[in-house]
Amino acid sequence: MVTSTERRRVGMLAPMQHELVPIVRRLNLDGDGSVYHGQAGDLDVVAMLTNIGMAAGADAARRLLELDVDWVMVVGIAGGVDPNVVKIGDVIVPDAVVDRATGTTFHPAAVGGGGPRGVLSCGDDLITDPARLAEMPTDGVIAVDMETAAVAAVCDEAECPWSVFRSISDYAGGGLIDAGLFAMTRPDGTADPEAVERYLQENPDRIAVLTQLAQDMTVATEAAAEAAIQSCATL
């Protein structure tokens, strides 16, 4: 229980280094590359790298809760489902988060200003099938990611409030991210340079795609970090 004389502590989970960097820079946090500490106004902040995937997200959430945080935020990027609904750089503040593997639905705690609302669908699978994507809007799904539902499950079990700030960096099935590109991505979201070189040698036409993806990712990671930090003032 937090008393009136204690500072509240917020934990921010970023699946990839690209997502963690703007949080650390904007708040001037100190850390070792995976865990950072500092302040956001009257709040203490712990920012942690989770790595990609549901298992990694759950493990990071457990480790974060061991640091006695009072609120957990998942901060990063997401793939949009329909470009007519969400645009690159839009920050998703979902009404619900669904684990695609189990069908379990989780509900974030309300915090900060609102962004596009709807359902965030989560799972380890890379969704590119047009038919599957076409079905998602009928269930209210506006974006997809690979960690949030796993974090939600851990936080709900621990009765710790949590929220989500995911910004659109690309569109699922839009062609920017394919299995080949995903395969050369390390667990922390950075690219394997040798794998990238081989990939571009085999697919020289994808250079423009990688450039566009990098630009859109920068827009999205900055937007997500800004939204999460601004929301701290409302806690």
Side-chain angles (χ1 to χ4, degrees), residues 53-86:
M54 298 287 278
D59 179 65
R62 295 186 189 99
R63 288 184 283 116
L64 184 64
L65 291 176
E66 291 174 356
L67 300 178
D68 296 325
V69 298
D70 303 296
W71 198 292
V72 173
M73 296 180 181
V74 184
V75 187
I77 61 176
V81 172
D82 185 347
N84 294 314
V85 175
V86 288

PDB file of all heavy atoms in Angstrom, residues 53-86:
ATOM      1  N   GLY A  53       8.006 -11.104 -27.988  1.00  0.00           N
ATOM      2  CA  GLY A  53       7.261 -12.345 -27.808  1.00  0.00           C
ATOM      3  C   GLY A  53       6.482 -12.414 -26.508  1.00  0.00           C
ATOM      4  O   GLY A  53       6.761 -11.707 -25.541  1.00  0.00           O
ATOM      5  N   MET A  54       5.497 -13.278 -26.490  1.00  0.00           N
ATOM      6  CA  MET A  54       4.599 -13.406 -25.350  1.00  0.00           C
ATOM      7  C   MET A  54       5.320 -13.929 -24.103  1.00  0.00           C
ATOM      8  O   MET A  54       5.120 -13.402 -23.004  1.00  0.00           O
ATOM      9  CB  MET A  54       3.434 -14.332 -25.720  1.00  0.00           C
ATOM     10  CG  MET A  54       2.567 -13.811 -26.860  1.00  0.00           C
ATOM     11  SD  MET A  54       1.521 -12.417 -26.381  1.00  0.00           S
ATOM     12  CE  MET A  54       0.165 -13.309 -25.603  1.00  0.00           C
ATOM     13  N   ALA A  55       6.147 -14.939 -24.256  1.00  0.00           N
ATOM     14  CA  ALA A  55       6.865 -15.479 -23.098  1.00  0.00           C
ATOM     15  C   ALA A  55       7.799 -14.445 -22.505  1.00  0.00           C
ATOM     16  O   ALA A  55       7.895 -14.290 -21.287  1.00  0.00           O
ATOM     17  CB  ALA A  55       7.633 -16.740 -23.485  1.00  0.00           C
ATOM     18  N   ALA A  56       8.492 -13.717 -23.380  1.00  0.00           N
ATOM     19  CA  ALA A  56       9.403 -12.675 -22.918  1.00  0.00           C
ATOM     20  C   ALA A  56       8.631 -11.566 -22.213  1.00  0.00           C
ATOM     21  O   ALA A  56       9.082 -11.034 -21.191  1.00  0.00           O
ATOM     22  CB  ALA A  56      10.195 -12.104 -24.092  1.00  0.00           C
ATOM     23  N   GLY A  57       7.472 -11.211 -22.742  1.00  0.00           N
ATOM     24  CA  GLY A  57       6.654 -10.177 -22.118  1.00  0.00           C
ATOM     25  C   GLY A  57       6.202 -10.570 -20.724  1.00  0.00           C
ATOM     26  O   GLY A  57       6.254  -9.765 -19.789  1.00  0.00           O
ATOM     27  N   ALA A  58       5.763 -11.818 -20.575  1.00  0.00           N
ATOM     28  CA  ALA A  58       5.316 -12.290 -19.261  1.00  0.00           C
ATOM     29  C   ALA A  58       6.471 -12.320 -18.270  1.00  0.00           C
ATOM     30  O   ALA A  58       6.329 -11.917 -17.108  1.00  0.00           O
ATOM     31  CB  ALA A  58       4.698 -13.679 -19.399  1.00  0.00           C
ATOM     32  N   ASP A  59       7.626 -12.798 -18.717  1.00  0.00           N
ATOM     33  CA  ASP A  59       8.793 -12.870 -17.830  1.00  0.00           C
ATOM     34  C   ASP A  59       9.210 -11.475 -17.374  1.00  0.00           C
ATOM     35  O   ASP A  59       9.510 -11.261 -16.191  1.00  0.00           O
ATOM     36  CB  ASP A  59       9.945 -13.557 -18.556  1.00  0.00           C
ATOM     37  CG  ASP A  59      11.192 -13.645 -17.699  1.00  0.00           C
ATOM     38  OD1 ASP A  59      11.167 -14.344 -16.667  1.00  0.00           O
ATOM     39  OD2 ASP A  59      12.207 -13.007 -18.052  1.00  0.00           O
ATOM     40  N   ALA A  60       9.244 -10.519 -18.293  1.00  0.00           N
ATOM     41  CA  ALA A  60       9.632  -9.155 -17.938  1.00  0.00           C
ATOM     42  C   ALA A  60       8.630  -8.536 -16.968  1.00  0.00           C
ATOM     43  O   ALA A  60       9.017  -7.814 -16.044  1.00  0.00           O
ATOM     44  CB  ALA A  60       9.759  -8.303 -19.195  1.00  0.00           C
ATOM     45  N   ALA A  61       7.355  -8.807 -17.176  1.00  0.00           N
ATOM     46  CA  ALA A  61       6.339  -8.271 -16.268  1.00  0.00           C
ATOM     47  C   ALA A  61       6.539  -8.798 -14.849  1.00  0.00           C
ATOM     48  O   ALA A  61       6.422  -8.049 -13.876  1.00  0.00           O
ATOM     49  CB  ALA A  61       4.940  -8.631 -16.775  1.00  0.00           C
ATOM     50  N   ARG A  62       6.867 -10.074 -14.719  1.00  0.00           N
ATOM     51  CA  ARG A  62       7.123 -10.640 -13.389  1.00  0.00           C
ATOM     52  C   ARG A  62       8.326  -9.978 -12.734  1.00  0.00           C
ATOM     53  O   ARG A  62       8.304  -9.652 -11.536  1.00  0.00           O
ATOM     54  CB  ARG A  62       7.340 -12.149 -13.495  1.00  0.00           C
ATOM     55  CG  ARG A  62       6.107 -12.924 -13.962  1.00  0.00           C
ATOM     56  CD  ARG A  62       6.338 -14.416 -13.919  1.00  0.00           C
ATOM     57  NE  ARG A  62       5.248 -15.135 -14.569  1.00  0.00           N
ATOM     58  CZ  ARG A  62       5.299 -15.601 -15.805  1.00  0.00           C
ATOM     59  NH1 ARG A  62       6.413 -15.450 -16.528  1.00  0.00           N
ATOM     60  NH2 ARG A  62       4.270 -16.234 -16.327  1.00  0.00           N
ATOM     61  N   ARG A  63       9.395  -9.781 -13.509  1.00  0.00           N
ATOM     62  CA  ARG A  63      10.593  -9.149 -12.969  1.00  0.00           C
ATOM     63  C   ARG A  63      10.318  -7.696 -12.588  1.00  0.00           C
ATOM     64  O   ARG A  63      10.832  -7.194 -11.578  1.00  0.00           O
ATOM     65  CB  ARG A  63      11.733  -9.241 -13.977  1.00  0.00           C
ATOM     66  CG  ARG A  63      12.298 -10.655 -14.122  1.00  0.00           C
ATOM     67  CD  ARG A  63      13.504 -10.702 -15.050  1.00  0.00           C
ATOM     68  NE  ARG A  63      13.127 -10.625 -16.447  1.00  0.00           N
ATOM     69  CZ  ARG A  63      13.445  -9.649 -17.266  1.00  0.00           C
ATOM     70  NH1 ARG A  63      14.156  -8.605 -16.819  1.00  0.00           N
ATOM     71  NH2 ARG A  63      13.073  -9.658 -18.535  1.00  0.00           N
ATOM     72  N   LEU A  64       9.505  -7.026 -13.387  1.00  0.00           N
ATOM     73  CA  LEU A  64       9.177  -5.635 -13.088  1.00  0.00           C
ATOM     74  C   LEU A  64       8.369  -5.528 -11.797  1.00  0.00           C
ATOM     75  O   LEU A  64       8.611  -4.638 -10.969  1.00  0.00           O
ATOM     76  CB  LEU A  64       8.391  -5.031 -14.254  1.00  0.00           C
ATOM     77  CG  LEU A  64       8.048  -3.545 -14.152  1.00  0.00           C
ATOM     78  CD1 LEU A  64       9.323  -2.704 -14.142  1.00  0.00           C
ATOM     79  CD2 LEU A  64       7.155  -3.133 -15.320  1.00  0.00           C
ATOM     80  N   LEU A  65       7.422  -6.423 -11.594  1.00  0.00           N
ATOM     81  CA  LEU A  65       6.594  -6.387 -10.389  1.00  0.00           C
ATOM     82  C   LEU A  65       7.418  -6.654  -9.128  1.00  0.00           C
ATOM     83  O   LEU A  65       7.059  -6.197  -8.038  1.00  0.00           O
ATOM     84  CB  LEU A  65       5.451  -7.406 -10.505  1.00  0.00           C
ATOM     85  CG  LEU A  65       4.384  -7.075 -11.546  1.00  0.00           C
ATOM     86  CD1 LEU A  65       3.363  -8.200 -11.645  1.00  0.00           C
ATOM     87  CD2 LEU A  65       3.691  -5.757 -11.219  1.00  0.00           C
ATOM     88  N   GLU A  66       8.518  -7.372  -9.276  1.00  0.00           N
ATOM     89  CA  GLU A  66       9.404  -7.600  -8.133  1.00  0.00           C
ATOM     90  C   GLU A  66      10.076  -6.310  -7.665  1.00  0.00           C
ATOM     91  O   GLU A  66      10.613  -6.247  -6.554  1.00  0.00           O
ATOM     92  CB  GLU A  66      10.475  -8.631  -8.489  1.00  0.00           C
ATOM     93  CG  GLU A  66       9.925 -10.042  -8.663  1.00  0.00           C
ATOM     94  CD  GLU A  66      10.978 -11.021  -9.153  1.00  0.00           C
ATOM     95  OE1 GLU A  66      12.122 -10.592  -9.428  1.00  0.00           O
ATOM     96  OE2 GLU A  66      10.662 -12.221  -9.238  1.00  0.00           O
ATOM     97  N   LEU A  67      10.036  -5.267  -8.506  1.00  0.00           N
ATOM     98  CA  LEU A  67      10.628  -3.971  -8.164  1.00  0.00           C
ATOM     99  C   LEU A  67       9.608  -3.041  -7.510  1.00  0.00           C
ATOM    100  O   LEU A  67       9.839  -1.840  -7.384  1.00  0.00           O
ATOM    101  CB  LEU A  67      11.212  -3.314  -9.423  1.00  0.00           C
ATOM    102  CG  LEU A  67      12.316  -4.117 -10.126  1.00  0.00           C
ATOM    103  CD1 LEU A  67      12.779  -3.401 -11.390  1.00  0.00           C
ATOM    104  CD2 LEU A  67      13.492  -4.351  -9.187  1.00  0.00           C
ATOM    105  N   ASP A  68       8.486  -3.621  -7.082  1.00  0.00           N
ATOM    106  CA  ASP A  68       7.463  -2.889  -6.323  1.00  0.00           C
ATOM    107  C   ASP A  68       6.889  -1.698  -7.090  1.00  0.00           C
ATOM    108  O   ASP A  68       6.718  -0.606  -6.531  1.00  0.00           O
ATOM    109  CB  ASP A  68       8.021  -2.416  -4.971  1.00  0.00           C
ATOM    110  CG  ASP A  68       8.391  -3.577  -4.065  1.00  0.00           C
ATOM    111  OD1 ASP A  68       7.693  -4.595  -4.102  1.00  0.00           O
ATOM    112  OD2 ASP A  68       9.393  -3.458  -3.333  1.00  0.00           O
ATOM    113  N   VAL A  69       6.573  -1.902  -8.358  1.00  0.00           N
ATOM    114  CA  VAL A  69       5.921  -0.841  -9.115  1.00  0.00           C
ATOM    115  C   VAL A  69       4.431  -0.827  -8.776  1.00  0.00           C
ATOM    116  O   VAL A  69       3.841  -1.844  -8.430  1.00  0.00           O
ATOM    117  CB  VAL A  69       6.123  -1.012 -10.634  1.00  0.00           C
ATOM    118  CG1 VAL A  69       7.601  -0.933 -10.986  1.00  0.00           C
ATOM    119  CG2 VAL A  69       5.518  -2.321 -11.122  1.00  0.00           C
ATOM    120  N   ASP A  70       3.842   0.361  -8.853  1.00  0.00           N
ATOM    121  CA  ASP A  70       2.423   0.527  -8.555  1.00  0.00           C
ATOM    122  C   ASP A  70       1.554   0.513  -9.805  1.00  0.00           C
ATOM    123  O   ASP A  70       0.335   0.402  -9.719  1.00  0.00           O
ATOM    124  CB  ASP A  70       2.206   1.857  -7.818  1.00  0.00           C
ATOM    125  CG  ASP A  70       3.018   1.953  -6.550  1.00  0.00           C
ATOM    126  OD1 ASP A  70       2.763   1.158  -5.638  1.00  0.00           O
ATOM    127  OD2 ASP A  70       3.926   2.810  -6.481  1.00  0.00           O
ATOM    128  N   TRP A  71       2.194   0.670 -10.960  1.00  0.00           N
ATOM    129  CA  TRP A  71       1.458   0.723 -12.232  1.00  0.00           C
ATOM    130  C   TRP A  71       2.401   0.261 -13.334  1.00  0.00           C
ATOM    131  O   TRP A  71       3.584   0.604 -13.327  1.00  0.00           O
ATOM    132  CB  TRP A  71       1.004   2.151 -12.515  1.00  0.00           C
ATOM    133  CG  TRP A  71      -0.102   2.285 -13.527  1.00  0.00           C
ATOM    134  CD1 TRP A  71      -0.028   2.028 -14.867  1.00  0.00           C
ATOM    135  CD2 TRP A  71      -1.429   2.732 -13.281  1.00  0.00           C
ATOM    136  NE1 TRP A  71      -1.225   2.286 -15.474  1.00  0.00           N
ATOM    137  CE2 TRP A  71      -2.106   2.723 -14.523  1.00  0.00           C
ATOM    138  CE3 TRP A  71      -2.108   3.153 -12.133  1.00  0.00           C
ATOM    139  CZ2 TRP A  71      -3.448   3.107 -14.645  1.00  0.00           C
ATOM    140  CZ3 TRP A  71      -3.434   3.533 -12.263  1.00  0.00           C
ATOM    141  CH2 TRP A  71      -4.089   3.509 -13.507  1.00  0.00           C
ATOM    142  N   VAL A  72       1.903  -0.501 -14.273  1.00  0.00           N
ATOM    143  CA  VAL A  72       2.712  -0.990 -15.396  1.00  0.00           C
ATOM    144  C   VAL A  72       2.174  -0.402 -16.693  1.00  0.00           C
ATOM    145  O   VAL A  72       0.957  -0.376 -16.916  1.00  0.00           O
ATOM    146  CB  VAL A  72       2.695  -2.530 -15.476  1.00  0.00           C
ATOM    147  CG1 VAL A  72       3.388  -3.019 -16.757  1.00  0.00           C
ATOM    148  CG2 VAL A  72       3.367  -3.127 -14.254  1.00  0.00           C
ATOM    149  N   MET A  73       3.084   0.056 -17.538  1.00  0.00           N
ATOM    150  CA  MET A  73       2.725   0.542 -18.859  1.00  0.00           C
ATOM    151  C   MET A  73       3.490  -0.241 -19.909  1.00  0.00           C
ATOM    152  O   MET A  73       4.703  -0.423 -19.783  1.00  0.00           O
ATOM    153  CB  MET A  73       3.069   2.031 -19.013  1.00  0.00           C
ATOM    154  CG  MET A  73       2.304   2.956 -18.100  1.00  0.00           C
ATOM    155  SD  MET A  73       2.791   4.684 -18.379  1.00  0.00           S
ATOM    156  CE  MET A  73       1.746   5.509 -17.167  1.00  0.00           C
ATOM    157  N   VAL A  74       2.792  -0.693 -20.936  1.00  0.00           N
ATOM    158  CA  VAL A  74       3.439  -1.302 -22.095  1.00  0.00           C
ATOM    159  C   VAL A  74       3.564  -0.208 -23.149  1.00  0.00           C
ATOM    160  O   VAL A  74       2.552   0.381 -23.555  1.00  0.00           O
ATOM    161  CB  VAL A  74       2.633  -2.485 -22.644  1.00  0.00           C
ATOM    162  CG1 VAL A  74       3.395  -3.149 -23.790  1.00  0.00           C
ATOM    163  CG2 VAL A  74       2.345  -3.500 -21.543  1.00  0.00           C
ATOM    164  N   VAL A  75       4.789   0.061 -23.571  1.00  0.00           N
ATOM    165  CA  VAL A  75       5.050   1.205 -24.451  1.00  0.00           C
ATOM    166  C   VAL A  75       5.807   0.741 -25.687  1.00  0.00           C
ATOM    167  O   VAL A  75       6.859   0.107 -25.575  1.00  0.00           O
ATOM    168  CB  VAL A  75       5.878   2.282 -23.724  1.00  0.00           C
ATOM    169  CG1 VAL A  75       6.004   3.535 -24.592  1.00  0.00           C
ATOM    170  CG2 VAL A  75       5.268   2.622 -22.367  1.00  0.00           C
ATOM    171  N   GLY A  76       5.286   1.029 -26.861  1.00  0.00           N
ATOM    172  CA  GLY A  76       6.002   0.621 -28.064  1.00  0.00           C
ATOM    173  C   GLY A  76       5.160   0.758 -29.313  1.00  0.00           C
ATOM    174  O   GLY A  76       4.279   1.609 -29.412  1.00  0.00           O
ATOM    175  N   ILE A  77       5.447  -0.108 -30.276  1.00  0.00           N
ATOM    176  CA  ILE A  77       4.801  -0.023 -31.577  1.00  0.00           C
ATOM    177  C   ILE A  77       3.821  -1.175 -31.780  1.00  0.00           C
ATOM    178  O   ILE A  77       3.827  -2.157 -31.040  1.00  0.00           O
ATOM    179  CB  ILE A  77       5.839  -0.012 -32.720  1.00  0.00           C
ATOM    180  CG1 ILE A  77       6.659  -1.309 -32.712  1.00  0.00           C
ATOM    181  CG2 ILE A  77       6.740   1.207 -32.601  1.00  0.00           C
ATOM    182  CD1 ILE A  77       7.636  -1.421 -33.876  1.00  0.00           C
ATOM    183  N   ALA A  78       2.997  -1.020 -32.808  1.00  0.00           N
ATOM    184  CA  ALA A  78       2.025  -2.051 -33.162  1.00  0.00           C
ATOM    185  C   ALA A  78       1.789  -2.004 -34.662  1.00  0.00           C
ATOM    186  O   ALA A  78       2.053  -1.001 -35.318  1.00  0.00           O
ATOM    187  CB  ALA A  78       0.714  -1.846 -32.410  1.00  0.00           C
ATOM    188  N   GLY A  79       1.265  -3.097 -35.187  1.00  0.00           N
ATOM    189  CA  GLY A  79       0.879  -3.142 -36.591  1.00  0.00           C
ATOM    190  C   GLY A  79      -0.585  -2.794 -36.726  1.00  0.00           C
ATOM    191  O   GLY A  79      -1.435  -3.368 -36.034  1.00  0.00           O
ATOM    192  N   GLY A  80      -0.896  -1.846 -37.576  1.00  0.00           N
ATOM    193  CA  GLY A  80      -2.290  -1.492 -37.798  1.00  0.00           C
ATOM    194  C   GLY A  80      -2.991  -2.520 -38.670  1.00  0.00           C
ATOM    195  O   GLY A  80      -2.356  -3.210 -39.474  1.00  0.00           O
ATOM    196  N   VAL A  81      -4.282  -2.620 -38.512  1.00  0.00           N
ATOM    197  CA  VAL A  81      -5.073  -3.571 -39.301  1.00  0.00           C
ATOM    198  C   VAL A  81      -5.700  -2.891 -40.515  1.00  0.00           C
ATOM    199  O   VAL A  81      -5.694  -3.441 -41.616  1.00  0.00           O
ATOM    200  CB  VAL A  81      -6.156  -4.229 -38.428  1.00  0.00           C
ATOM    201  CG1 VAL A  81      -7.113  -5.074 -39.281  1.00  0.00           C
ATOM    202  CG2 VAL A  81      -5.504  -5.107 -37.362  1.00  0.00           C
ATOM    203  N   ASP A  82      -6.214  -1.687 -40.326  1.00  0.00           N
ATOM    204  CA  ASP A  82      -6.902  -0.979 -41.411  1.00  0.00           C
ATOM    205  C   ASP A  82      -6.375   0.453 -41.490  1.00  0.00           C
ATOM    206  O   ASP A  82      -6.575   1.243 -40.565  1.00  0.00           O
ATOM    207  CB  ASP A  82      -8.403  -0.970 -41.141  1.00  0.00           C
ATOM    208  CG  ASP A  82      -9.214  -0.359 -42.289  1.00  0.00           C
ATOM    209  OD1 ASP A  82      -8.608   0.280 -43.174  1.00  0.00           O
ATOM    210  OD2 ASP A  82     -10.455  -0.515 -42.282  1.00  0.00           O
ATOM    211  N   PRO A  83      -5.721   0.829 -42.599  1.00  0.00           N
ATOM    212  CA  PRO A  83      -5.185   2.189 -42.720  1.00  0.00           C
ATOM    213  C   PRO A  83      -6.260   3.261 -42.757  1.00  0.00           C
ATOM    214  O   PRO A  83      -5.957   4.449 -42.602  1.00  0.00           O
ATOM    215  CB  PRO A  83      -4.403   2.144 -44.041  1.00  0.00           C
ATOM    216  CG  PRO A  83      -4.968   0.996 -44.790  1.00  0.00           C
ATOM    217  CD  PRO A  83      -5.375  -0.010 -43.767  1.00  0.00           C
ATOM    218  N   ASN A  84      -7.516   2.871 -42.941  1.00  0.00           N
ATOM    219  CA  ASN A  84      -8.602   3.842 -42.899  1.00  0.00           C
ATOM    220  C   ASN A  84      -9.028   4.153 -41.465  1.00  0.00           C
ATOM    221  O   ASN A  84      -9.771   5.118 -41.227  1.00  0.00           O
ATOM    222  CB  ASN A  84      -9.815   3.311 -43.671  1.00  0.00           C
ATOM    223  CG  ASN A  84      -9.533   3.182 -45.154  1.00  0.00           C
ATOM    224  OD1 ASN A  84      -8.972   4.089 -45.761  1.00  0.00           O
ATOM    225  ND2 ASN A  84      -9.897   2.047 -45.731  1.00  0.00           N
ATOM    226  N   VAL A  85      -8.564   3.334 -40.530  1.00  0.00           N
ATOM    227  CA  VAL A  85      -8.938   3.497 -39.114  1.00  0.00           C
ATOM    228  C   VAL A  85      -7.801   4.105 -38.303  1.00  0.00           C
ATOM    229  O   VAL A  85      -8.017   4.990 -37.472  1.00  0.00           O
ATOM    230  CB  VAL A  85      -9.362   2.143 -38.506  1.00  0.00           C
ATOM    231  CG1 VAL A  85      -9.638   2.281 -37.007  1.00  0.00           C
ATOM    232  CG2 VAL A  85     -10.586   1.597 -39.217  1.00  0.00           C
ATOM    233  N   VAL A  86      -6.572   3.622 -38.528  1.00  0.00           N
ATOM    234  CA  VAL A  86      -5.413   4.141 -37.801  1.00  0.00           C
ATOM    235  C   VAL A  86      -4.311   4.498 -38.795  1.00  0.00           C
ATOM    236  O   VAL A  86      -4.115   3.817 -39.801  1.00  0.00           O
ATOM    237  CB  VAL A  86      -4.882   3.123 -36.768  1.00  0.00           C
ATOM    238  CG1 VAL A  86      -5.827   2.996 -35.594  1.00  0.00           C
ATOM    239  CG2 VAL A  86      -4.639   1.766 -37.402  1.00  0.00           C
TER     240      VAL A  86
END
